[in-house]
Amino acid sequence: MKNSIQRNVGPMALMLTGLGSIIGSGWLFGAWKASKIAGPAAVVAWIIGAVVILAIALTYAELGAMFPESGGMVRYARYSHGSLVGFISAWANWIAIVSVIPIEAEASLQYMSTWPYSWAHGLYVNGSLTPIALIFAALLVVGYFLLNYWGVKLFARANSVITTFKFIIPGATILGLMLTGFHSENFGGAGTAFAPYGWSAVLTAVATSGIVFSFNGFQSPVNLAGEARNPSRSIPFAVVGSILLALVIYVLLQVAYIGAVNPADVAKGWAHFNFASPFAELALALNLNWLAFLLYVDAFVSPSGTGTTYMATTSRMIYAMERNNTLPKIFGYVHPLYGVPRPAMFLNLIVAFIFMFFFRGWSSLAAVISVATVISYLTGPISLMSLRRNAPDLKRPLHIAGMQVIAPFAFVCASLVLYWAKWPLTGEIILLMVVALPIFFFYQRKTGWDGWSRDLHAAWWLIAYLPAMAAISLVGSKQFGGLGWLPYGWDMLLVALLALGFYYWGVSAGYRSPYLDECHEDDDALASPKALASAPG
């Protein structure tokens, strides 16, 4: 089946697609986790996170318009820097997205644990889901799997209902909490501080509290770039608009949460709040039983929408990685009737179970996803500017002005967020990004190392970047988990300067790779990008 892309999606539809994808389980927990780390200054953390993601998103918007294909985000670096950078980038993108599947199921079970039943209270104990809760979460993941097993359209039919929940319930939460019990003194004064744990904690909140994870849905308008009507205008409008509107919602949710908690509890410290279902428990404390009921319902609806969509998205990523000739051919098989890559779906199901076993709560897995997401975005700005330099003849439906400034800014910001995540998490995630290299070398050997020398030359910047960032994180200031060899403030300056150097090295290392010819092949046998993006995220 040939993929016939029609440019008939308007800017407003694109923006709503992005906003619906961004509003996922992050809104249920993000405000609590961010304030637990940074106190009331978590409001600033959301703004910083939005600026970082916005800069990165603009680079991918232009790339998405250039290469409108299924699983495209795992192929851009391959086009600009060859197979090795392409593989590391693809692996990082896949890890960042496939780990979202179990976190959505865990979010539902974590909210379920505060239901007014004794058996429910045993689902989440001491900050971790219990074995029985993990079984229920696994069944939810299987549900996400089955809804995609017979095609994306089965789930997309429920799009309007779920999207309505995604917008109405956060709005009701904001109004309910602000109008019922709002304590302005929680934001500072009368013995409390706006940034009680220092500004370094605010930066750490950006990296690990789920803020970056919460904005990750900007990919939906990018994935629809090939179907956008007048992409030079509608794509920037959709990407910028969805992120800014989501920022307003998240900031208002953060303000509502901070103002709703009891000032007597705030006096004990923001870090002591250990909610299992933050907004639902606050609603019950304020006798807003109707709001608590809606939140408990939405805790299944919104995460399930995201989990089901990401089950579809990750299967397309595996499909695209097989097209990169770095995975077994079976993962490129697409069901002839339903148009879904079922073997890839089974692989993602198994990996989702593995993540669920090792990370048994929303907070722990959100930190991993956030850092992995940042790493997965590092190649976007460099790939874009390298292709502008080495392949100027490529058709560009979207050409964003000022990218000479936006792209390096995005790369530096992503590097800083990676550093803010604190050692040892930074080093652990960087290690996770390279652990799959034996798979790459196995398939390189099968192809006779064709083009290996050129691809290796184009990859040295990334090979050097990852251990360099790990080393700085290890010896950095104690505020970010390091040994304290670098003083606070100067450590971030060093990271920024080093990142800027790696950025220009990466751009200059790119070349017009032969893999660019692959983007002209038919992106066959898959459900259209429009069908994929219509499912809520």
Side-chain angles (χ1 to χ4, degrees):
M1 294 182 294
K2 292 185 177 180
N3 180 26
S4 54
I5 296 177
Q6 299 179 2
R7 296 190 180 277
N8 55 12
V9 181
M12 188 60 66
L14 282 175
M15 185 186 69
L16 291 177
T17 298
L19 187 59
S21 299
I22 290 173
I23 305 298
S25 68
W27 86 266
L28 294 168
F29 293 95
W32 157 69
K33 184 62 176 178
S35 61
K36 184 179 176 72
I37 295 174
V43 174
V44 180
W46 285 100
I47 297 172
I48 295 173
V51 171
V52 172
I53 294 299
L54 185 58
I56 295 170
L58 288 174
T59 67
Y60 278 100
E62 186 169 324
L63 285 167
M66 290 171 63
F67 307 112
E69 54 183 307
S70 294
M73 288 189 70
V74 304
R75 291 171 66 82
Y76 302 149
R78 178 178 171 88
Y79 296 152
S80 64
H81 287 76
S83 60
L84 180 53
V85 174
F87 178 82
I88 296 175
S89 174
W91 174 261
N93 271 279
W94 176 65
I95 287 294
I97 299 300
V98 75
S99 51
V100 173
I101 298 171
I103 198 177
E104 301 304 321
E106 290 185 350
S108 297
L109 267 297
Q110 196 165 319
Y111 255 69
M112 185 178 175
S113 68
T114 58
W115 285 8
Y117 306 106
S118 58
W119 60 267
H121 300 162
L123 297 175
Y124 185 76
V125 179
N126 296 326
S128 178
L129 292 175
T130 60
I132 186 65
L134 289 176
I135 293 174
F136 283 129
L139 291 175
L140 273 179
V141 172
V142 172
Y144 306 160
F145 172 86
L146 292 176
L147 283 171
N148 280 282
Y149 194 76
W150 287 284
V152 177
K153 290 183 180 179
L154 175 64
F155 181 75
R157 290 171 184 160
N159 182 26
S160 58
V161 176
I162 291 179
T163 301
T164 300
F165 260 82
K166 282 178 176 287
F167 299 141
I168 291 180
I169 306 306
T173 301
I174 293 168
L175 291 175
L177 295 182
M178 285 189 172
L179 296 178
T180 304
F182 190 82
H183 306 282
S184 59
E185 63 269 28
N186 288 347
F187 290 85
T192 63
F194 181 70
Y197 308 116
W199 289 100
S200 63
V202 176
L203 302 177
T204 298
V206 175
T208 63
S209 70
I211 290 176
V212 170
F213 159 70
S214 297
F215 283 112
N216 193 33
F218 78 82
Q219 294 183 48
S220 290
V222 175
N223 290 332
L224 267 176
E227 295 183 85
R229 186 170 60 242
N230 193 0
S232 63
R233 294 184 179 180
S234 56
I235 298 300
F237 174 83
V239 170
V240 175
S242 62
I243 292 175
L244 292 181
L245 285 176
L247 173 63
V248 172
I249 294 172
Y250 281 131
V251 167
L252 289 175
L253 284 166
Q254 184 69 71
V255 170
Y257 171 85
I258 293 171
V261 295
N262 191 326
D265 293 327
V266 172
K268 302 174 185 176
W270 289 94
H272 97 281
F273 287 102
N274 289 309
F275 291 121
S277 53
F279 284 117
E281 291 177 72
L282 283 178
L284 290 172
L286 295 172
N287 293 319
L288 297 175
N289 295 330
W290 61 271
L291 179 58
F293 174 78
L294 290 178
L295 284 163
Y296 284 133
V297 173
D298 188 66
F300 277 90
V301 175
S302 288
S304 294
T306 303
T308 303
T309 301
Y310 277 58
M311 180 66 78
T313 302
T314 50
S315 66
R316 271 65 182 178
M317 286 182 166
I318 292 295
Y319 166 83
M321 290 169 72
E322 186 279 327
R323 287 184 62 193
N324 288 350
N325 298 315
T326 52
L327 285 179
K329 293 295 182 184
I330 189 175
F331 294 121
Y333 171 77
V334 178
H335 193 279
L337 177 61
Y338 296 109
V340 293
R342 286 183 171 177
M345 290 175 58
F346 275 106
L347 175 63
N348 290 326
L349 181 65
I350 294 171
V351 173
F353 287 158
I354 294 173
F355 269 101
M356 188 178 297
F357 177 80
F358 284 104
F359 303 97
R360 304 185 179 189
W362 189 91
S363 297
S364 59
L365 191 47
V368 172
I369 294 174
S370 296
V371 180
T373 298
V374 169
I375 294 179
S376 74
Y377 290 157
L378 286 169
T379 56
I382 288 179
S383 291
L384 173 61
M385 299 310 291
S386 179
L387 287 169
R388 279 193 177 187
R389 175 180 178 179
N390 298 308
D393 57 309
L394 288 178
K395 183 179 179 181
R396 288 174 168 80
L398 173 62
H399 191 282
I400 298 177
M403 192 54 72
Q404 293 83 356
V405 175
I406 296 173
F409 175 76
F411 188 84
V412 170
C413 284
S415 300
L416 284 168
V417 173
L418 178 60
Y419 177 71
W420 296 338
K422 288 190 173 183
W423 182 269
L425 180 60
T426 303
E428 293 168 351
I429 302 302
I430 288 176
L431 178 62
L432 183 62
M433 294 302 104
V434 299
V435 73
L437 281 178
I439 299 175
F440 170 78
F441 293 133
F442 172 78
Y443 282 97
Q444 282 294 305
R445 186 183 61 82
K446 290 184 64 174
T447 60
W449 303 94
D450 184 35
W452 166 248
S453 177
R454 188 69 183 85
D455 288 353
L456 179 61
H457 181 269
W460 276 118
W461 70 272
L462 184 57
I463 295 173
Y465 172 85
L466 293 175
M469 287 299 299
I472 292 181
S473 182
L474 173 61
V475 304
S477 62
K478 292 184 178 180
Q479 284 87 339
F480 296 110
L483 297 173
W485 296 1
L486 296 173
Y488 174 65
W490 290 101
D491 55 344
M492 290 186 285
L493 177 61
L494 178 60
V495 170
L497 293 175
L498 193 66
L500 201 59
F502 275 110
Y503 166 80
Y504 288 111
W505 182 7
V507 171
S508 63
Y511 72 106
R512 188 187 181 98
S513 78
Y515 307 112
L516 271 173
D517 295 335
E518 297 173 359
C519 70
H520 300 302
E521 299 173 359
D522 288 328
D523 193 21
D524 54 5
L526 286 174
S528 72
K530 183 178 180 180
L532 266 177
S534 65

